[in-house]
Amino acid sequence: MKFLRYGPAGAEKPGMLDASGGLRDLSAHVMDLAGISLLPQSLAALAALDPEDLPLVHGTPRIGPCVGAVGKFLAIGLNYADHAAEAGMDLPQEPIVFSKATSCIVGPNDDVEIPRGSTATDWEVELGFVIGKKAKYVTEAEALNHVAGYCVINDVSERDFQIRRSGQWIKGKSADTFGPIGPWLVTPDEVGDPQDLALYLDVNGVRRQDGTTRTMHFTVAQIIAHLSQFMTLHPGDVIATGTPPGVGMGMKPPLYLKAGDVMELGVAGLGVQRQQVRGSD
């Protein structure tokens, strides 16, 4: 199934797509796509509904982040061999883990804002996944059983803040609007093998990233197993798995986002995002 959230920011309603791509309202059956509603039994109950019996949402409402009330927003750095090469860095011996503040999360088509003082705001298309079942000390073999679904993430990054402003990467990863998520939360049965998905990103109609999750250094299962050794993952936690080559930082000379630019990005089977870039408020 493809689940999503729609409506004004902060007041999104849960929905699902029907066979023809129509948006159906789920609010009579679940309060939000968050927390316990992402448990396997909860999603199974929603998937058992006949979409044709659900109210059809008319018009073109705003699409919000595909999961609400996110507890943790984690990401993996340098997880594609060719991206590490363009960054001039060696592949890590174990996953590089960093956080993005949950306050950076926005919908897939919301504007991206360049923060004050930014000189190097960059793009990163990524495969994301959402935890659906508590994961603590899980093995790689059982790890994928803890995934509620997969989604598109743009891990927007300010490279100067990230690299030169001291401390952890979180400084360059957490500005408001730096975490577009969605449009859909796609259940694992529809995704198939998460290590065989194409992903891309265009800036102003020019293809900048064109990759595949086949070249990920650490797989989704390995990432879950690794993270669960250090912290308990809960339903609704969001993890971004790294980006393929083609980021602005890796170009010669580097190319960064400016007000008026438009990003379009997607992952096969998970939908498309489109963001316009604007200056800071």
Side-chain angles (χ1 to χ4, degrees):
M1 299 299 298
K2 294 182 176 69
F3 296 102
L4 68 160
R5 300 167 70 248
Y6 68 97
E12 292 92 347
K13 295 181 178 180
M16 70 189 319
L17 294 186
D18 63 24
S20 62
L23 173 54
R24 300 286 177 159
D25 180 32
L26 277 173
S27 56
H29 300 272
V30 64
M31 291 288 293
D32 197 3
L33 295 171
I36 61 172
S37 68
L38 298 169
L39 290 170
Q41 59 269 33
S42 300
L43 290 183
L46 294 177
L49 298 171
D50 185 348
E52 300 300 321
D53 293 335
L54 300 172
L56 180 64
V57 178
H58 298 282
T60 55
R62 169 187 173 271
I63 303 301
C66 60
V67 60
V70 174
K72 294 188 284 294
F73 190 1
L74 304 174
I76 308 300
L78 296 176
N79 198 30
Y80 284 71
D82 32 13
H83 173 53
E86 75 173 350
M89 302 178 75
D90 295 331
L91 284 169
Q93 294 299 307
E94 60 180 58
I96 295 174
V97 181
F98 62 92
S99 294
K100 292 173 74 78
T102 56
S103 55
C104 81
I105 295 173
V106 291
N109 304 315
D110 292 341
D111 289 350
V112 164
E113 176 186 329
I114 296 176
R116 292 180 183 178
S118 169
T119 60
T121 297
D122 205 349
W123 56 83
E124 292 191 20
V125 60
E126 308 204 5
L127 169 67
F129 63 89
V130 178
I131 295 296
K133 184 171 67 171
K134 178 180 174 181
K136 182 177 182 178
Y137 299 129
V138 302
T139 66
E140 184 179 333
E142 63 189 356
L144 294 184
N145 295 328
H146 295 262
V147 176
Y150 298 89
C151 59
V152 183
I153 294 177
N154 190 353
D155 176 20
V156 186
S157 308
E158 212 296 336
R159 302 303 187 184
D160 188 61
F161 296 177
Q162 176 188 353
I163 298 168
R164 299 183 180 88
R165 295 294 295 273
S166 185
Q168 301 298 315
W169 288 5
I170 190 171
K171 288 182 179 180
K173 298 286 189 171
S174 298
D176 292 350
T177 75
F178 270 27
I181 298 177
W184 311 322
L185 179 65
V186 184
T187 51
D189 59 297
E190 286 205 12
V191 173
D193 183 1
Q195 304 309 143
D196 190 20
L197 300 174
L199 61 171
Y200 76 93
L201 184 144
D202 296 343
V203 179
N204 300 328
V206 177
R207 183 62 44 93
R208 296 301 184 186
Q209 292 186 274
D210 191 1
T212 170
T213 59
R214 290 194 299 272
T215 64
M216 283 170 57
H217 184 46
F218 299 105
T219 66
V220 171
Q222 289 171 329
I223 291 167
I224 295 170
H226 180 78
L227 291 174
S228 76
Q229 307 308 305
F230 302 96
M231 67 192 82
T232 300
L233 302 175
H234 293 96
D237 287 348
V238 175
I239 295 95
T241 61
T243 196
V247 299
M249 178 178 65
M251 301 180 69
K252 296 182 175 28
L255 177 67
Y256 295 117
L257 294 166
K258 63 185 184 303
D261 286 345
V262 175
M263 293 179 282
E264 182 179 297
L265 56 146
V267 179
L270 305 183
V272 173
Q273 299 186 357
R274 184 182 186 278
Q275 297 114 25
Q276 182 154 341
V277 179
R278 59 180 171 82
S280 62
D281 293 336

